[in-house]
Amino acid sequence: MSIHDRTVSLVTGGAGFLGSHLCEQLLARGHEVICADNFFTGTRRNVEHLIGHPRFELMRHDVTFPLFAEVDEIYNFACPASPVHYQHDPVQTTKTSVHGAINMLGLAKRVKAKILQASTSEVYGDPQVHPQREDYWGHVNPNGIRSCYDEGKRCAETLFFDYHRQHQLRIKVLRIFNTYGPRMHPNDGRVVSNFIVQALQGQPITLYGEGLQTRSFCYVDDLIDGALRLMGTPDQVTGPINVGNPVEVTIRELAETILRLTGSASPLVFRPLPQDDPMQRCPDITKARETLGWAPRVQLEQGLARTIDYFERLLSSSTGPLPHGLQPSATPVAAAIQTPALAA
Ligand code: NAD
Ligand code: UDP
Ligand code: UDP
């Protein structure tokens, strides 16, 4: 609490896709917001409309280093989330999850703050239980190309629960399933941004494998609502708790929906399936419904239409082919080569 009696919230990764929406919603609730980000995948542009707000502070900071600040609650969202980005510097990805968690938990311990971890459906790996419930331990390769992210996030969960048991920290662990919406980076290589940008630019839609793998897509506003509700629960509620949209679609169906909504004539092309790409993913959200009174409200087509609108405006406002001169990634490797430009 500041002397003004306002809740002070720290959002790590606050200049990223989800973090920027979270900062907005916390400001709307009257909080003071400290946004800490090293701008690896996030950009100032995502929060530029908040700069100058009397309760908003933007800080360049890498969570793998200690951070000293007086705060009431911490949302630990710092970590690249797209496979292309987290595989670009995998050692840094693990450090961000593990050292980042230790530093933020150390901070929470010192100032007695509540702390929420942005965990992920990736803790379930390529799941053999379907849909995924929170008590499923997962099926994760410990040394593949996705492991830096999956195992980093799993270790972060371990640290959260050990700080809770050992130091009585007030923790909240949110397992986020695939989330999309405005402010996804056009070149982050994730499927929704790739397909929309490809469709709008008349480029081929790149389906990895046969496009028969499934995902369940949650609109960003619903996800942020779930995160805020979890932070507001009584101290005994620690999670882990799944938040995602249980409507499961194949990647091919997603491509067809985006083609229809954009009216694009882009052809479908097939590319190799990346290693360890999970074949299916769908949350069981019984716990979120019962504990948080939460369920997604935005239907996939509604959310996609809003996201398409965002990318249309973004593409038409840029002078070059894309902001930073980036193209949507045709393959994971091609996109990884372009990633350093993101820091701009
Ligand atoms: P994003 O890449 O847009 O945002 C991540 C932010 O973290 C960026 O602003 C980036 O610059 C920052 N960051 C990265 N490493 C950092 C470090 N060492 N120090 C400080 N900042 C750092 O991704 P997003 O989709 O907004 O994801 C946010 C969080 O939610 C991540 O922790 C991610 O694992 C989690 N998550 C997201 C999804 C999803 O579908 N969007 C799904 C599951 C989990
Ligand atoms: N830490 C931090 N900010 C703080 C307090 C701690 O960043 O306000 C970091 C610090 O780097 C420390 C880590 O959190 O190494 C873990 O803190 P903890 O108190 O759990 O462990 P210790 O300080 O004993 O290593
Ligand atoms: N995918 C695809 N074409 C693309 C990008 C992704 O077919 O251009 C597939 C990818 O192989 C995966 C799914 O879409 O099966 C979701 O990929 P994303 O990177 O968005 O998230 P994650 O794999 O982490 O769920």
Side-chain angles (χ1 to χ4, degrees):
M1 210 62 85
S2 66
I3 53 160
H4 310 292
D5 238 27
R6 291 189 203 106
T7 302
V8 182
S9 306
L10 168 65
V11 180
T12 74
F17 161 49
L18 296 181
S20 61
H21 287 272
L22 184 56
C23 288
E24 259 172 19
Q25 288 304 314
L26 289 166
L27 286 171
R29 283 165 171 72
H31 293 212
E32 285 190 30
V33 176
I34 304 174
C35 166
D37 202 297
N38 70 349
F39 304 116
F40 176 55
T41 53
T43 63
R44 277 176 206 79
R45 190 163 13 99
N46 284 339
V47 288
E48 72 185 357
H49 58 297
L50 306 179
I51 294 169
H53 188 295
R55 287 182 277 108
F56 181 74
E57 190 180 339
L58 177 61
M59 174 196 288
R60 177 186 279 271
H61 179 76
D62 184 322
V63 293
T64 62
F65 295 98
L67 174 63
F68 292 88
E70 308 311 307
V71 300
D72 301 301
E73 55 179 34
I74 303 169
Y75 289 86
N76 189 33
F77 275 60
C79 188
S82 127
V84 170
H85 289 166
Y86 69 65
Q87 289 166 25
H88 176 70
D89 186 350
V91 172
Q92 174 68 10
T93 298
T94 305
K95 284 185 186 170
T96 292
S97 278
V98 177
H99 291 187
I102 292 172
N103 286 328
M104 291 309 105
L105 287 160
L107 170 60
K109 181 179 135 203
R110 183 178 63 80
V111 300
K112 299 186 173 37
K114 268 197 285 193
I115 179 165
L116 182 147
Q117 168 68 356
S119 190
T120 165
S121 54
E122 285 288 319
V123 300
Y124 303 119
D126 190 4
Q128 294 173 316
V129 169
H130 198 70
Q132 291 80 54
R133 281 168 37 128
E134 290 86 350
D135 54 9
Y136 175 50
W137 290 355
H139 180 230
V140 178
N141 179 351
N143 52 31
I145 57 172
R146 291 176 87 99
S147 311
C148 59
Y149 185 76
D150 300 9
E151 296 291 20
K153 289 284 187 177
R154 285 167 67 94
C155 184
E157 284 204 14
T158 308
L159 285 160
F160 268 68
F161 280 90
D162 282 333
Y163 269 81
H164 172 66
R165 284 183 286 255
Q166 200 175 329
H167 298 300
Q168 292 72 52
L169 245 65
R170 294 177 293 155
I171 63 156
K172 312 278 176 193
V173 175
L174 184 73
R175 289 192 181 149
I176 303 171
F177 283 64
N178 296 62
T179 302
Y180 68 96
R183 299 201 202 117
M184 292 185 89
H185 197 285
N187 186 44
D188 83 359
R190 284 187 271 193
V191 68
V192 173
S193 44
N194 263 13
F195 286 2
I196 292 179
V197 172
Q198 290 164 343
L200 291 176
Q201 297 197 324
Q203 295 174 11
I205 307 286
T206 51
L207 287 169
Y208 300 160
E210 294 174 43
L212 298 178
Q213 66 274 34
T214 68
R215 294 293 187 274
S216 308
F217 295 99
C218 183
Y219 188 66
V220 58
D221 291 359
D222 283 331
L223 188 282
I224 300 302
D225 178 38
L228 292 168
R229 283 175 192 243
L230 179 57
M231 189 60 112
T233 52
D235 290 350
Q236 66 269 22
V237 178
T238 59
I241 193 155
N242 291 338
V243 173
N245 190 335
V247 178
E248 187 180 3
V249 295
T250 66
I251 295 305
R252 190 171 180 135
E253 284 165 348
L254 177 74
E256 282 159 1
T257 306
I258 289 174
L259 284 175
R260 181 164 47 77
L261 293 176
T262 52
S264 169
S266 289
L268 301 181
V269 295
F270 294 88
R271 297 271 185 269
L273 190 66
Q275 190 194 322
D276 293 340
D277 199 280
M279 277 315 289
Q280 54 182 2
R281 194 180 282 153
C282 179
D284 180 322
I285 58 162
T286 310
K287 207 168 159 184
R289 283 184 200 278
E290 289 173 357
T291 315
L292 310 178
W294 179 90
R297 283 189 281 199
V298 181
Q299 307 295 316
L300 182 60
E301 293 207 5
Q302 241 182 324
L304 285 176
R306 292 184 204 170
T307 312
I308 289 166
D309 189 53
Y310 167 79
F311 278 111
E312 262 173 344
R313 279 185 281 119
L314 185 74
L315 297 180
S316 64
S317 69
S318 71
T319 47
L322 271 182
H324 314 310
L326 297 171
Q327 293 297 321
S329 52
T331 65
V333 174
I337 292 164
Q338 294 170 1
T339 302
L342 289 174

